[in-house]
Amino acid sequence: MWTKKRARINTMKSNAASGMMATTSSATVQTLEVTDDEENVETTFGDAETSSMKNKKRLPAFLGAALDSTDFGAIPSGHFDNLDKIIGRESGFWSSTPPKLGYSSSTIKKKVTISEFKDALPKHSIFYLFAHGKTENEHDISVVYFEGFNVWNDSKKQRNHPVTPQDISDNIGDNFYNLVFFNGCAGAAINDPTPKEYADAFKAKNYVSWPISMNTTSAANAAIDFFNALDNGNTVDDARSNTKAKQRLPGGGGALTYKEHTLRAVRNDNKVIIDNTPKKK
């Protein structure tokens, strides 16, 4: 399995060098410049096409899912509503409680199609996707690798449309992301360059995911914990380092054992604060 993986990576790098693939190589270096004004940030990404990208206003979050509950377990009821109450929606029956993170209401797609995915890319500052990460060696953290993910086709009858880094870079325009959270298996595999290719395509200042395959319910609960921890000026690294979820492991006699893993950053910029609430004077 490991030999096969190495061959796949070497082919990928060779193709990228010859122009057959437009994804950036694992040698790409990211440099970041952050002005004193957090609402006006300029970022340059290594040997990728250089452009000045300025977010004069924080854009709302995109919250999407591409899971088949029959295969991977159902996402807990109310998951996206609960996330949006933290990020961008007022809540409360008798009185409105502002969201903790101070954004406007999120775009929510609980069964995101490829067209919806591409259409969302230029319109948001936070991108959260709960999806099945395609993997090999999924139960061994040292050799697991990430093969991307699928979303639903436009008929919403099959969840079989792959999303490549090229799909993202072709549709993102001049936008960039303060935070991308891929809540899926091995989206931050440790010994694999593929997660970085997705982070590069999103032009993400912060990109977090799991290092191995995870339990759906545990990963959903962990996402709530993570976004809750981003208030009060906390960095993504502050929130990430205290966010854990359980891996599902096949045990003896059909039993299941669980091991906890910490949310991992593929890219991390502690100068970028996700909290968008007005600063206290």
Side-chain angles (χ1 to χ4, degrees), residues 32-45 50-59 122-125 172-178 203 205:
L32 298 169
E33 288 182 20
V34 180
T35 66
D36 291 335
D37 180 2
E38 287 184 7
E39 300 301 323
N40 187 12
V41 181
E42 182 168 320
T43 308
T44 304
F45 287 81
T50 301
S51 62
S52 179
M53 298 170 291
K54 295 186 177 181
N55 250 353
K56 294 183 178 179
K57 181 179 180 181
R58 295 286 180 95
L59 302 173
K123 300 177 180 178
H124 303 276
S125 294
I172 197 170
D174 291 334
N175 194 25
F176 69 97
Y177 278 86
N178 289 323
K203 294 182 277 190
K205 297 186 174 191

Side-chain angles (χ1 to χ4, degrees), residues 64-81:
L67 275 178
D68 187 337
S69 61
T70 59
D71 292 333
F72 306 108
I75 298 172
S77 176
H79 177 68
F80 291 99
D81 289 337

Side-chain angles (χ1 to χ4, degrees), residues 57-181:
K57 181 179 180 181
R58 295 286 180 95
L59 302 173
F62 176 84
L63 310 176
L67 275 178
D68 187 337
S69 61
T70 59
D71 292 333
F72 306 108
I75 298 172
S77 176
H79 177 68
F80 291 99
D81 289 337
N82 290 333
L83 280 178
D84 199 26
K85 289 173 185 176
I86 300 168
I87 300 168
R89 188 200 310 170
E90 292 184 342
S91 60
F93 183 74
W94 295 110
S95 62
S96 294
T97 302
K100 290 180 72 171
L101 299 185
Y103 291 78
S104 57
S105 292
S106 304
T107 296
I108 298 176
K109 299 290 183 182
K110 298 179 183 179
K111 198 172 182 178
V112 63
T113 67
I114 185 61
S115 292
E116 291 169 339
F117 184 95
K118 291 178 178 179
D119 182 66
L121 289 169
K123 300 177 180 178
H124 303 276
S125 294
I126 296 172
F127 204 98
Y128 172 81
L129 183 67
F130 207 148
H132 169 55
K134 296 182 289 184
T135 64
E136 190 165 328
N137 306 324
E138 66 175 341
H139 297 305
D140 188 338
I141 198 167
S142 64
V143 295
V144 64
Y145 67 84
F146 180 59
E147 297 183 324
F149 57 92
N150 290 350
V151 294
W152 292 89
N153 60 27
D154 286 333
S155 69
K156 296 192 176 183
K157 293 181 179 179
Q158 291 183 298
R159 187 187 46 80
N160 63 354
H161 201 298
V163 177
T164 67
Q166 186 71 54
D167 291 326
I168 297 167
S169 59
D170 283 349
N171 290 277
I172 197 170
D174 291 334
N175 194 25
F176 69 97
Y177 278 86
N178 289 323
L179 172 63
V180 174
F181 183 173

Side-chain angles (χ1 to χ4, degrees), residues 228-246:
N228 262 319
L230 287 172
D231 67 345
N232 295 322
N234 290 329
T235 67
V236 168
D237 202 47
D238 291 332
R240 174 208 62 78
S241 61
N242 292 304
T243 301
K244 300 180 186 295
K246 293 179 179 180

